[in-house]
Amino acid sequence: MVLSVNNVSVSLERSRIVDGIDCHLKAGELLMLLGPNGAGKSTLLKAISGDLPYGGSVTFSGRELGQWRPQRLARQRAVMPQRVEVNFPLTVEEVVQLGRPKMASDRSDLVVDKLMNELDIGHLRHRLVPGLSGGEQQRLQLARVLAQIIDSPGDRLLLLDECTSALDPAHQQMVLDLVRRLAKAEDMAVLAVVHDLNLAAQFADRLLVMKAGRLVHEGSAREVLTPELLEAVYGFTARVVELEEGYPMVVPRRRGPSGAYTAPLKPSCRQAS
Amino acid sequence: MIRDAAGRLGFAPSLVVALLAAASVALVSIASGAYPLALGDILSVIIGREASDPVASMVLLEVRMPRFLLGFLVGAVLAVSGALLQGLFRNPLADPGLIGVSAGASLAAIAVIVLGNTWLGGWLAMTGEWALPIAAFLGGSGTVLLAWRVANRSGQTAVATLLLAGIAINAVAGAATGLLTFYANDEELRSLTFWTMGSLGHAGWDDLLVGAPFMLLALLAAPWLARPLDAFLLGESVVGHLGYRTDTVKKAAILVVGLGVGAAVAVSGLIGFVGLVVPHLVRQLLGASHRVVLPLSALVGGTLLVAADSLARVVVAPAELPIGLMMALIGGPFFLALLLRTKVI
């Protein structure tokens, strides 16, 4: 196992945000974490990222997280936070370079170039980051975290917190397709918090569903994304359609006598609002 | 071309230009004053030969040289401290003067001057000739820590709170300084005025010997923080994700700033705005990477302060303006212009 999370709890300001979570992640596996706002997804991710103190145990590559030397861990584990704000005049290329480990190979510039092109920010390399759009900044941050671990030896873990929330549909597909390809080709383990159920169904190997700090369901998209579970977890009614592409699609329904709908037509609208 | 693909000045050509500017300002500064020196005399003393005019040689070695060196060091340290604080707080408006570090250092030094013979007698006995710089260093570091504690909530630095904390710290330090002024005798009052307005007027080799080790240490330590400070620009949590020990980096930066600003205040009193103006200019021209910002801020800061000091000696000659006033005259309007241009802090 690359990542083992055992009975992890996190309390913030005396309330328990994450409550006894267990999950395990193999090399090359793409695991997506779902759940309504306030379910504790980001908090769990922050605990695994080392940003928050937690109870229980998190082992990466067989060793407890706290026992890793920070510099060493940074070569194996990369974290993309929900928001990174840059107020200073750094260029796109400089920010991607910041991700590169200190003792990286001589191919550093090549790696950085390739990632920038794959994430469609190559043409922005000399632009200053504060002037970029939200979506461009998000792709930039993904390039930075990938540059951090992509050519490191040994187990690698990528933690992504809503890495597609600011992207248009074409870039969402491009980004998640790249993440999935890298996970498989490089045997990288990926844990990603997402809101878009259909993107999760399309790209994840396995889904975890959290609600009120607890893990309520785990399995393949077909097992997890059922009308009953969506009703119970999110409180909205939806049809689930099996696509010929081989994965299910969630289609929310309007309801209520006044015609006002309680759930948005497209789940991704939720996070945009 | 001098500009790179991002439209910024290259590091190497900028370094050369900054060095040339520093050298010419140095010559002008050493030559000008109540007793003007000839360029030929200056050059012959520098290369170790006798000057044609023995008084010139004395003025150069005993007055102008230490004053130039001290001014350059103080300017360099203040500019680098400004750059460090701005990186640490992720805000281009942080400055040792604005957030109260200089005032804290100055208050500690003033307390030693006024209370040295009574309540703080033990301190003087313990530290000897180092009493002032060490007190100023402790005052400076303590204030950085205080500002940090007030403004930093759950890993995010609230900038408005930081600047407000600076106002409060400056007010408290000002009031305490006022109290000490009230308490001070005539002789002590004269040295207090020097502290609060900032001056290089008394600079001599002994000041340099006491202050320079601290300031050089701060200047030499700062480049080690360049890479982690670049990570700070992406946010405090990212620093940890990239493998740096966030707390260690923070403490080291605070220590360096306290050390440098404390020593600078101890030898030259309160000189504001260098730390604000210089890193800002350097970043506009060369970008925000600390590997570039730190060395060039040091050069430009030193040059600016020496130039301002020469000007302060000339404008109301034969009297001189306090350098602190001079910098406030230059820096105040600059700060206002910066605020007008910055849409969101």
Side-chain angles (χ1 to χ4, degrees):
Chain A
M1 285 297 161
V2 174
L3 178 73
S4 284
V5 174
N6 298 305
N7 195 23
V8 162
S9 300
V10 182
S11 296
L12 293 177
E13 318 221 328
R14 287 195 210 148
S15 60
R16 188 155 274 210
I17 310 292
V18 170
D19 195 2
I21 297 279
D22 289 282
C23 78
H24 304 276
L25 195 52
K26 291 188 303 230
E29 193 177 20
L30 176 49
L31 183 65
M32 286 194 179
L33 190 53
L34 302 172
N37 296 140
K41 308 178 298 289
S42 292
T43 306
L44 175 63
L45 209 71
K46 280 185 188 158
I48 303 172
S49 312
D51 295 345
L52 287 175
Y54 55 85
S57 123
V58 179
T59 59
F60 169 61
S61 202
R63 197 172 348 151
E64 189 66 35
L65 220 48
Q67 289 170 1
W68 281 82
R69 280 185 32 233
Q71 205 60 258
R72 181 93 197 113
L73 187 58
R75 295 209 62 178
Q76 322 282 150
R77 181 200 68 184
V79 184
M80 178 171 163
Q82 215 171 82
R83 265 183 47 174
V84 172
E85 211 173 313
V86 183
N87 303 321
F88 283 74
L90 290 169
T91 63
V92 166
E93 191 170 14
E94 277 171 334
V95 170
V96 183
Q97 287 283 7
L98 272 180
R100 294 296 293 164
K102 233 195 260 173
M103 300 145 296
S105 61
D106 326 328
R107 303 188 304 119
S108 231
D109 286 346
L110 278 177
V111 173
V112 166
D113 265 9
K114 188 153 182 266
L115 280 171
M116 284 197 297
N117 288 330
E118 293 224 51
L119 284 162
D120 192 23
I121 51 170
H123 58 293
L124 303 171
R125 68 176 62 223
H126 299 306
R127 287 267 301 277
L128 297 181
V129 180
L132 299 182
S133 77
E136 288 164 345
Q137 300 219 15
Q138 210 161 35
R139 268 137 55 208
L140 164 62
Q141 292 306 327
L142 186 62
R144 172 180 66 80
V145 296
L146 285 173
Q148 190 181 335
I149 55 172
I150 193 156
D151 54 353
S152 303
D155 282 344
R156 276 156 305 159
L157 173 65
L158 184 61
L159 301 170
L160 306 171
D161 197 352
E162 294 188 34
C163 68
T164 56
S165 61
L167 301 181
D168 61 57
H171 280 115
Q172 285 182 336
Q173 293 291 322
M174 188 186 91
V175 159
L176 289 178
D177 186 60
L178 174 68
V179 168
R180 191 177 167 85
R181 260 193 297 126
L182 286 177
K184 301 302 166 196
E186 300 280 332
D187 247 358
M188 203 185 302
V190 184
L191 176 58
V193 170
V194 285
H195 273 301
D196 192 318
L197 301 172
N198 291 327
L199 286 177
Q202 186 187 350
F203 288 101
D205 291 319
R206 196 153 53 95
L207 301 180
L208 292 181
V209 185
M210 278 180 79
K211 188 179 184 182
R214 290 174 172 277
L215 203 58
V216 291
H217 211 79
E218 181 177 355
S220 68
R222 207 168 279 115
E223 289 162 347
V224 169
L225 299 177
T226 61
E228 298 75 32
L229 191 108
L230 293 172
E231 174 81 50
V233 172
Y234 289 96
F236 76 104
T237 28
R239 278 185 306 141
V240 176
V241 186
E242 184 66 30
L243 301 179
E244 59 187 27
E245 281 83 354
Y247 51 85
M249 185 170 99
V250 176
V251 187
R253 286 188 186 173
R254 299 181 182 214
R255 70 173 179 186
S258 63
Y261 53 81
T262 53
L265 208 56
K266 254 185 69 182
S268 61
C269 294
R270 274 193 166 201
Q271 59 201 80
S273 65
Chain B
M1 281 304 287
I2 295 179
R3 284 175 185 274
D4 68 7
R8 306 192 298 204
L9 299 178
F11 179 60
S14 308
L15 198 64
V16 173
V17 171
L19 280 171
L20 286 176
S24 11
V25 168
L27 277 181
V28 171
S29 163
I30 290 174
S32 56
Y35 191 96
L37 301 179
L39 198 60
D41 283 344
I42 298 176
L43 291 179
S44 30
V45 174
I46 288 176
I47 57 173
R49 283 213 228 114
E50 277 295 305
S52 56
D53 173 3
V55 183
S57 167
M58 214 272 288
V59 168
L60 176 64
L61 288 176
E62 294 306 316
V63 182
R64 302 278 166 78
M65 268 313 239
R67 182 167 185 162
F68 157 71
L69 288 174
L70 201 68
F72 197 89
L73 264 182
V74 167
V77 158
L78 289 177
V80 166
S81 300
L84 291 176
L85 285 178
Q86 286 152 19
L88 201 61
F89 286 114
R90 288 195 297 291
N91 191 278
L93 298 182
D95 167 82
L98 283 178
I99 65 169
V101 185
S102 307
S106 150
L107 175 62
I110 287 173
V112 170
I113 296 176
V114 178
L115 304 174
N117 298 322
T118 52
W119 295 354
L120 294 178
W123 173 258
L124 273 187
M126 206 164 69
T127 47
E129 59 179 321
W130 304 93
L132 281 183
I134 294 179
F137 157 64
L138 291 177
S141 318
T143 326
V144 185
L145 276 177
L146 182 65
W148 183 275
R149 284 293 293 275
V150 173
N152 207 337
R153 301 277 157 77
S154 61
Q156 297 287 317
T157 310
V159 178
T161 322
L162 174 68
L163 296 178
L164 289 174
I167 293 177
I169 292 170
N170 276 322
V172 172
T177 309
L179 269 181
L180 289 171
T181 319
F182 197 65
Y183 192 71
N185 61 31
D186 279 357
E187 189 195 333
E188 288 162 356
L189 259 183
R190 255 195 302 281
S191 48
L192 287 197
T193 320
F194 152 79
W195 284 92
T196 44
M197 293 215 257
S199 170
L200 293 166
H202 305 283
W205 287 110
D206 31 346
D207 281 333
L208 199 60
L209 279 180
V210 169
F214 288 90
M215 291 192 275
L216 282 175
L217 196 64
L219 286 177
L220 292 177
W224 293 96
L225 294 166
R227 251 185 99 101
L229 277 178
D230 282 349
F232 257 95
L233 299 185
L234 303 184
E236 202 169 316
S237 60
V238 176
V239 182
H241 300 159
L242 288 175
Y244 303 104
R245 295 175 200 268
T246 317
D247 253 19
T248 315
V249 176
K250 262 194 250 175
K251 284 180 190 149
I254 287 174
L255 194 74
V256 169
V257 170
L259 202 67
V261 174
V265 168
V267 294
S268 63
L270 280 181
I271 300 175
F273 294 106
V274 183
L276 182 77
V277 174
V278 173
H280 187 81
L281 280 179
V282 172
R283 254 188 243 113
Q284 290 293 312
L285 294 172
L286 289 121
S289 166
H290 285 91
R291 272 169 288 182
V292 174
V293 170
L294 292 178
L296 271 156
S297 291
L299 272 177
V300 176
T303 311
L304 176 69
L305 199 66
V306 170
D309 182 46
S310 318
L311 207 60
R313 274 183 279 162
V314 175
V315 277
V316 288
E320 24 179 284
L321 278 180
I323 177 87
L325 280 186
M326 197 73 203
M327 275 315 298
L329 282 175
I330 302 172
F334 181 90
F335 183 46
L336 280 176
L338 191 60
L339 284 179
L340 282 174
R341 276 187 50 189
T342 316
K343 291 180 192 73
V344 188
I345 298 175

